[in-house]
Amino acid sequence: MRGFLASSIGVTCAAALALPLTLPASAAPSAAPATQSTSGARPASTTAAPDLPGSTQSLPLTPRTRDRTLGAAPEQGLTRADVHRFSLVGVTWTDPGTELRGQVQVRTRATATGNWSGWQDIDTHNEDHGADPGTAERDSGHVHGSTAPLWVGDSDGADVRVRANTAETRTVGAVDEQPSLLPTGLHLELVDPGAAQAPPAGARATTNHNRTATAHLAATELPALSKQATERELVALGHKAQPYIGPRPRIVTRHGWGADEKLREKGFVYTKKVKAAFVHHTATGNNYRCSQAPSVIRGIYRYHVKSSGWRDIGYNFLVDKCGTIYEGRAGGVAKAVMGAHTLGFNTDSMGIAVLGTFGSAKPSAAAVTAIARLTAWKLGLYGVNPRGKTYLKSGGGNLYRKGKNVRLNVISGHRDGFATECPGRQLYGKLGSARSTSARYQGR
């Protein structure tokens, strides 16, 4: 199996989805050097270079009240009707270690109709995502605190309000005083995901291992394989087939959903193996069509990199409501790529995010089936039983201290590793079914 890990059939990057990649003999986590800012500062507004698809507008929020009466909460906000068009919004702040205790709401003006939406809540509990404490990605110096992103559709006006919890009022000396409870450096992030470039004709990855680099660059998907074909491919590459491995599902590549590879860091970071899969929801809302899923992913990608300051999109894979599977963080779909999805448990795991919000809304059956198909294949490459248990060492979080070995389901919800609502009550309730189905795809 180590031979397979050292020369995987997986995607080494969006440019080479089936090109083998040689890892260090130790298979230890590694990262290519990258030039990063260490000041933590950022300009008030950042936009993409003209030759890059999409853009990010980062606008500082301003105080909206000076009321310090008992029970009054400080509020910041911004109203702009003169911005470049965007489709995804979020709020960021300077210190990623500071929690935003309060409510964030936004309303937007639709480009097509000129009508303003009603107020929508943005999920503020996003600190449970991200790179583990003490890692190079976390300590890069340009990571920011951030809410979850919200997909709002094509818009050209925004109104945001951020209000701290009223319960935080305290007495300072002999005077009831409302301290500044909101994080410093609040910015509204307006993300235009850009238009994906039209793929070249016939741009589809196959099992032909003599493809040229040009063909690799053009590949927009890895086609689905039968269980037998999946096993034959491994043998053809000189690797011993695993006794239990699910058929490879169809996977839309980064090139397929239009990832701008100039945004992310160039290097990759790997761990030793994949022992577990954490299931998430993106909390971006459910108001998208499946045809818009690539745009939603491009928006999340840009938000994670340009706004939150991560090296790449945080999730290893994403799944839309129609059950389509998308490659997430670059480095190889079959490889143990370290993501930034489950704070404290990014080592030896993968993160799968279903596009949507599933606190009260039910996930589609197609999405749950896609989780089962993906985990049957990916966990099968590493000899892991989807219905089993495993141990992961905590990197630190609000449930488990750093260094503690934690026994978890091989397919876990985000909330199993961190006290959070993610992946939403409704999606979390479907994980038992996903485990059983995944094991069945493996032939167990």
Side-chain angles (χ1 to χ4, degrees):
M1 188 62 188
R2 286 182 61 85
F4 173 72
L5 295 179
S7 181
S8 168
I9 63 166
V11 186
T12 62
C13 65
L17 290 172
L19 188 66
L21 176 67
T22 301
L23 299 183
S26 64
S30 61
T35 302
Q36 296 180 340
S37 167
T38 57
S39 66
R42 60 173 169 167
S45 178
T46 58
T47 55
D51 60 334
L52 299 181
S55 66
T56 301
Q57 300 166 88
S58 186
L59 309 173
L61 304 190
T62 57
R64 283 196 163 177
T65 178
R66 295 182 179 273
D67 188 358
R68 288 183 175 271
T69 59
L70 184 63
E75 182 176 329
Q76 292 188 36
L78 178 73
T79 302
R80 288 286 296 270
D82 58 346
V83 295
H84 176 72
R85 62 196 303 171
F86 62 93
S87 297
L88 182 140
V89 302
V91 170
T92 63
W93 54 95
T94 304
D95 183 7
T98 300
E99 182 181 354
L100 196 165
R101 297 192 180 110
Q103 183 181 42
V104 178
Q105 293 183 309
V106 66
R107 64 189 189 107
T108 54
R109 186 178 64 194
T111 303
T113 65
N115 296 329
W116 286 86
S117 70
W119 288 100
Q120 300 184 75
D121 290 320
I122 297 179
D123 187 355
T124 62
H125 301 291
N126 201 46
E127 75 281 358
D128 45 357
H129 297 76
D132 290 348
T135 61
E137 183 170 5
R138 176 75 176 196
D139 298 338
S140 65
H142 60 221
V143 175
H144 298 112
S146 57
T147 67
L150 178 69
W151 179 259
V152 294
D154 195 10
S155 306
D156 58 9
D159 190 3
V160 64
R161 57 192 185 193
V162 182
R163 188 174 179 84
N165 288 336
T166 57
E168 300 291 344
T169 301
R170 65 182 183 181
T171 299
V172 179
V175 180
D176 286 328
E177 180 175 275
Q178 177 65 62
S180 177
L181 298 171
L182 294 175
T184 59
L186 287 168
H187 281 66
L188 173 64
E189 305 289 309
L190 304 177
V191 179
D192 171 14
Q197 297 178 350
R204 187 169 183 262
T206 69
T207 55
N208 176 10
H209 306 296
N210 296 316
R211 296 190 311 276
T212 64
T214 302
H216 295 153
L217 285 168
T220 59
E221 68 175 59
L222 287 172
L225 298 178
S226 67
K227 183 177 176 65
Q228 293 72 24
T230 301
E231 293 170 346
R232 285 197 301 269
E233 183 177 59
L234 292 179
V235 173
L237 287 170
H239 306 296
K240 182 179 179 180
Q242 292 296 308
Y244 297 102
I245 180 172
R248 187 182 73 189
R250 173 179 174 266
I251 301 173
V252 175
T253 67
R254 289 172 64 91
H255 184 71
W257 55 260
D260 180 357
E261 301 298 347
K262 298 175 187 176
L263 292 180
R264 65 171 177 85
E265 291 185 13
K266 294 181 179 178
F268 311 116
V269 179
Y270 298 98
T271 60
K272 292 181 179 180
K273 61 186 71 173
V274 177
K275 298 169 62 178
F278 285 99
V279 177
H280 305 254
H281 66 178
T282 58
T284 46
N286 303 314
N287 296 323
Y288 71 93
R289 300 184 303 276
C290 290
S291 61
Q292 293 177 307
S295 295
V296 177
I297 296 171
R298 290 197 303 276
I300 295 171
Y301 171 43
R302 177 172 281 276
Y303 184 75
H304 282 181
V305 176
K306 301 295 286 185
S307 301
S308 298
W310 303 349
R311 62 181 296 119
D312 194 349
I313 192 170
Y315 309 112
N316 297 103
F317 296 93
L318 300 100
V319 175
D320 69 20
K321 64 177 70 174
C322 289
T324 302
I325 299 169
Y326 301 85
E327 176 190 12
R329 179 163 289 205
V333 293
K335 292 183 176 296
V337 179
M338 177 180 266
H341 48 80
T342 307
L343 187 69
F345 292 100
N346 289 304
T347 297
D348 294 342
S349 72
M350 67 173 179
I352 304 169
V354 180
L355 298 180
T357 305
F358 303 106
S360 57
K362 294 182 179 180
S364 67
V368 177
T369 299
I371 293 171
R373 291 187 181 279
L374 175 59
T375 52
W377 171 72
K378 183 66 179 278
L379 293 172
L381 296 178
Y382 294 82
V384 178
N385 183 349
R387 281 192 301 215
K389 303 280 187 179
T390 191
Y391 281 91
L392 294 178
K393 182 176 290 187
S394 172
N398 63 1
L399 277 182
Y400 303 105
R401 60 173 173 79
K402 184 176 182 179
K404 180 177 176 61
N405 281 321
V406 182
R407 189 169 185 259
L408 295 161
N409 286 311
V410 164
I411 298 179
S412 285
H414 187 179
R415 64 176 62 183
D416 294 321
F418 198 98
T420 174
E421 292 297 317
C422 185
R425 178 174 56 87
Q426 295 289 348
L427 178 54
Y428 188 76
K430 296 293 185 180
L431 295 189
S433 173
R435 294 182 192 108
S436 298
T437 304
S438 180
R440 187 171 70 250
Y441 285 136
Q442 285 190 348
R444 296 183 186 270

